[in-house]
Amino acid sequence: MLAAGLSFATAAEGGAPHDELLGDESMAPLRTAAAAAGGAPLPPSAFAPHTSRLAAALSAGLHVRVLRTALPLAAAYLVGEARQLLLDVLRLLDAVAGKGSAVECAAWLPSLLRLELSSRGEASEVSTLEGAPAGWAYVGWDDGAARRVLVCRGRAIRATRVRPEPRLAVLDGFLSREEAAHVVAAARASGRLHPSRVVNYDATGETGVQCDARTSESCKISVKSDGVVRRVVQRAAYLAGLTPQHAEAVQVVHYRPGQQYRAHHDWFSPTDSRYPAKTAVMGNRLLSFFVYLEECTSGGRTVFPTLGLQFPPKTGTALVWYNLDRHGTLDERTLHAGEPVTEGEKWGMNIWLRERPRSSRLCRAVLTVAADKDGDPRVALAVSLPRGGDGPVPCGDCGDPVGPLGLCFCKKKYGFD
Ligand SMILES: O=C(O)CCC(=O)C(=O)O
Ligand SMILES: [Fe+2]
């Protein structure tokens, strides 16, 4: 068999020096790849020729010298850019780079899984991987199974996928009762609850105004001002495979008996004159998480008339759905309403994740294949970091460096059940 000296080498273009990417256990390479996937993904076609050569070489079992520290980077590259299934990638590395390679990537699993979610919209079930930490199972949007989802060290959330297109799921235990009560108290204490406005109301075309369609009161809470809200937004972003940079300030809503929110879509409508300004930076509302903070005694269901779905409020549960389809087109079928509350009070919270992050740190990854002096192919992966220092940012709660997608896994943020 051809003994190809295939190695990964990384080089930064105008960013961190070569060694910084390879020389230690730094998260920089994965952060780079992840930011590229979570920010403005490079078209897979740009990589296809090189990627297929790399993938072909790997799967053909050619002699491979993959620098140990580059293993997670190799995995990230194949997942983020080549759109390969993480489980397959890890098995491949195990086979060609040596038994145990997959386990060496285990510390990176949360990030790799999230990267896979953000680039493919689905994640591997890696608990079948020998040596992987037990219990790492993630919701798979496409397999129809209801699964237990572990958010890293944190809460166990039971995710039930209700339907595929538009993708809609119910997340039981998304918030603990304490967290839900905290957010309600924070909204009350803010003094900012005011009659709700609507961004887009189909029947009248009214926008950004108070109208009969929405009679609740609401207020926004920024992640900066409240640690619990920050944690919850991180959780939503984590599950979606996005970063908190994709989130708007959360919106808390409060309904008294008789109050409701008539059928609407959550997206910004292109017919709205302010649409360009509203969507210029972050794009439209890709995902809605509607979280029940306090259930009412009766009424107040969230209903999707086109889909024939009704959900009675249940404290701590979240409904999550994609407002845009897989091609980025507004999905009319996500029409939904909050039915009038008939008894008791209902509190809820909207977490909207946009198509693009607030600030995108554009990174580039370029794979080149060249012959070395013996004529064997040499594969080089060049990753360019954004200019202007992109070192690890310490977590505000625990001080540890935050992970590749700007998230910290610290106990304080995620809590334990
Ligand atoms: O109150 C509900 O059940 C739904 C609320 C909603 O859709 C919204 O606030 O955008
Ligand atoms: Fe809504």
Side-chain angles (χ1 to χ4, degrees):
M1 186 204 288
L2 170 73
L6 184 67
S7 66
F8 277 94
T10 61
E13 301 166 355
H18 197 190
D19 288 349
E20 210 177 295
L21 293 176
L22 280 182
D24 58 15
E25 293 302 313
S26 135
M27 294 287 230
L30 186 50
R31 183 172 64 242
T32 309
L42 295 164
S45 56
F47 294 92
H50 302 312
T51 300
S52 53
R53 282 191 71 169
L54 172 66
L58 286 171
S59 53
L62 298 181
H63 171 71
V64 178
R65 185 168 65 84
V66 181
L67 296 171
R68 294 314 246 190
T69 47
L71 281 174
L73 174 59
Y77 183 82
L78 290 169
V79 169
E81 300 302 342
R83 304 289 195 267
Q84 311 242 347
L85 202 63
L86 175 59
L87 187 60
D88 293 343
V89 167
L90 294 176
R91 288 198 170 126
L92 194 63
L93 289 177
D94 237 13
V96 298
K99 195 87 185 135
S101 297
V103 179
E104 281 181 43
C105 295
W108 301 60
L109 268 185
S111 312
L112 287 167
L113 281 159
R114 223 167 27 229
L115 175 62
E116 184 179 46
L117 270 170
S118 72
S119 49
R120 296 169 52 94
E122 58 191 86
S124 298
E125 158 62 279
V126 292
S127 58
T128 55
L129 189 75
E130 203 183 318
W136 277 105
Y138 280 74
V139 62
W141 288 96
D142 284 333
D143 63 7
R147 292 199 187 167
R148 189 152 225 259
V149 182
L150 282 183
V151 181
C152 197
R153 297 190 207 149
R155 304 182 51 72
I157 298 168
R158 203 171 60 252
T160 308
R161 195 199 64 163
V162 177
R163 49 163 300 118
E165 292 288 340
R167 287 172 282 176
L168 189 149
V170 177
L171 306 174
D172 278 318
F174 180 71
L175 253 65
S176 68
R177 292 202 158 258
E178 294 72 29
E179 287 170 331
H182 172 97
V183 179
V184 170
R188 282 189 198 277
S190 75
R192 290 199 306 268
L193 280 163
H194 59 267
S196 303
R197 298 186 179 92
V198 294
V199 290
N200 169 40
Y201 182 54
D202 290 329
T204 64
E206 285 177 278
T207 181
V209 293
Q210 237 175 290
C211 74
D212 287 349
R214 195 178 191 192
T215 51
S216 56
E217 58 176 4
S218 60
C219 69
K220 298 233 167 173
I221 304 184
S222 96
V223 292
K224 289 204 183 80
S225 69
D226 190 291
V228 173
V229 170
R230 186 166 65 237
R231 175 164 88 197
V232 168
V233 167
Q234 283 202 329
R235 196 175 295 159
Y238 181 91
L239 284 169
L242 298 171
T243 80
Q245 290 274 318
H246 286 252
E248 296 176 29
V250 307
Q251 186 190 51
V252 177
V253 288
H254 177 213
Y255 300 84
R256 293 196 170 82
Q259 296 182 332
Q260 63 175 316
Y261 191 175
R262 283 193 220 275
H264 65 280
H265 294 102
D266 282 354
W267 64 58
F268 300 113
S269 168
T271 59
D272 176 351
S273 61
R274 289 179 306 159
Y275 174 81
K278 281 176 176 282
T279 56
V281 178
M282 295 173 73
N284 216 325
R285 287 174 171 163
L286 175 64
L287 275 149
S288 293
F289 284 74
F290 187 73
V291 192
Y292 301 109
L293 300 174
E294 204 175 295
E295 59 203 44
C296 47
T297 317
S298 65
R301 296 183 310 175
T302 309
V303 298
F304 293 76
T306 315
L307 304 175
L309 296 171
Q310 301 91 22
F311 301 95
K314 183 166 167 237
T315 305
T317 291
L319 306 179
V320 53
W321 67 91
Y322 280 80
N323 294 304
L324 311 184
D325 69 16
R326 287 171 199 268
H327 308 290
T329 310
L330 307 180
D331 199 326
E332 296 285 345
R333 298 166 295 181
T334 60
L335 187 75
H336 60 282
E339 286 184 336
V341 168
T342 47
E343 203 185 329
E345 295 187 12
K346 168 179 154 190
W347 287 83
M349 168 169 64
N350 283 299
I351 303 172
W352 286 301
L353 300 181
R354 304 280 203 97
E355 293 174 277
R356 294 188 292 273
R358 193 173 304 281
S359 67
S360 68
R361 295 173 299 169
L362 285 184
C363 304
R364 281 189 342 116
V366 179
L367 192 70
T368 52
V369 182
D372 66 13
K373 59 180 172 22
D374 300 325
D376 288 333
R378 178 180 160 77
V379 178
L381 183 60
V383 179
S384 64
L385 296 172
R387 289 180 185 277
D390 190 35
V393 182
C395 161
D397 288 333
C398 69
D400 287 347
V402 296
L405 288 170
L407 306 184
C408 178
F409 301 141
C410 69
K411 179 176 167 182
K412 209 162 160 191
K413 271 198 180 135
Y414 284 103
F416 283 102
D417 260 358

